[in-house]
Amino acid sequence: MTKNIQQITEQSDSIGKNMHELMEKLFPICRSITGNGLRESLQILQELIPLQIIETPTNTQVFDWKIPKEWNISDAYIKNSRGEKIIDFKNSNLHVLNYSTPINKKISFEKLKPHLFTLEQYPDVIPYRTSYYQENWGFCLPHKQFSELEDDEYEVVIDSKLEIGSLSYGEYFIQGEYDDEVLLSCYPCHPSMCNDNLSGVVLLTYIAKHLQNLNLKYSYRFLFVPETIGAITWL
């Protein structure tokens, strides 16, 4: 009995370590509801389970919604008049308003302020903000840092693209004895978040990895879909 408990414990520790490593691998990738970051993340999951990746083209009608343009970003920052980077996308991809349109110009602090997003009640936290369906640009930063910004001229750069492409989502189906299904869904579209995103993605991946080797009474379908628009697209 003691030997069996030890084996189970060792197996659980190994699975837990592997799950944590997967989360660490996915965490730095800048994901959104479309784009290369989402696609790359699904391809990483394919290394563990035979996930089918489906691409649905931009402007496809899905019920009363439409697939938006595909968004990709390579760099973004704000520099002050001394050439110092005060906000840098490469330090945290949460710094950029997700789905920001491109910009490259120098502007005053007054014109910059409406495009800066903070959480006053959490002064040390970078908020996560998006603008999926209304074209805008912006940066997110801790409110403490915002309070310390000078009345200066700032160089603002967001090297992003909004263009015709597709929305990616992943699906994996395991046939059981019966056609009746258990449906498990998660959303892999948030960057740099564990509790709100990657915990579900990693858990579902390893549940699927475990179930694929069992004789099952019911069938199981696993969906890795970007929030709202991805679920509507699958439906």
Side-chain angles (χ1 to χ4, degrees), residues 1-203:
M1 176 70 76
T2 303
K3 187 176 180 181
N4 288 341
I5 292 173
Q6 184 179 354
Q7 287 175 338
I8 292 170
T9 302
E10 288 174 355
Q11 185 181 21
S12 298
D13 288 346
S14 176
I15 293 171
K17 181 174 181 290
N18 292 337
M19 292 174 73
H20 190 268
E21 287 175 354
L22 175 60
M23 187 173 284
E24 286 185 322
K25 192 172 185 179
L26 293 168
F27 184 83
I29 300 171
C30 184
R31 285 177 294 277
S32 189
I33 56 171
T34 65
N36 292 327
L38 174 60
R39 205 169 282 119
E40 179 188 354
S41 300
L42 294 174
Q43 288 167 352
I44 289 171
L45 301 184
Q46 272 186 325
E47 298 170 9
L48 295 165
I49 55 174
L51 192 68
Q52 180 186 9
I53 299 177
I54 296 96
E55 300 283 351
T56 306
T58 300
N59 292 325
T60 300
Q61 191 77 35
V62 286
F63 293 121
D64 55 345
W65 294 55
K66 273 190 179 180
I67 302 296
K69 291 179 181 177
E70 181 173 326
W71 183 72
N72 288 294
I73 184 168
S74 57
D75 197 11
Y77 58 84
I78 297 177
K79 286 183 180 179
N80 60 24
S81 60
R82 296 183 294 277
E84 301 164 335
K85 280 187 181 180
I86 59 169
I87 297 177
D88 191 348
F89 167 77
K90 291 181 179 177
N91 291 335
S92 172
N93 51 48
L94 293 180
H95 273 311
V96 174
L97 176 71
N98 201 282
Y99 248 71
S100 277
T101 53
I103 184 172
N104 187 340
K105 64 192 305 185
K106 291 184 178 181
I107 60 175
S108 68
F109 184 47
E110 282 303 308
K111 290 186 177 178
L112 176 60
K113 276 198 292 187
H115 296 276
L116 298 179
F117 302 97
T118 71
L119 287 171
E120 189 171 358
Q121 66 271 38
Y122 300 106
D124 298 314
V125 170
I126 304 171
Y128 174 55
R129 293 288 296 269
T130 68
S131 190
Y132 299 143
Y133 305 106
Q134 183 176 356
E135 291 195 1
N136 192 13
W137 64 269
F139 288 84
C140 302
L141 68 161
H143 191 76
K144 183 179 178 182
Q145 182 185 4
F146 171 78
S147 302
E148 296 168 352
L149 291 179
E150 302 170 351
D151 186 7
D152 195 2
E153 182 179 67
Y154 292 91
E155 180 185 353
V156 179
V157 173
I158 299 178
D159 185 5
S160 64
K161 290 181 179 178
L162 268 173
E163 54 194 356
I164 300 299
S166 63
L167 176 146
S168 315
Y169 70 87
E171 183 171 3
Y172 176 36
F173 179 73
I174 304 174
Q175 181 66 55
E177 182 182 350
Y178 298 109
D179 290 335
D180 293 341
E181 291 183 18
V182 175
L183 177 66
L184 298 167
S185 176
C186 65
Y187 52 99
C189 51
H190 289 185
S192 297
M193 294 189 204
C194 291
N195 290 337
D196 183 359
N197 191 222
L198 289 181
S199 56
V201 172
V202 171
L203 179 62

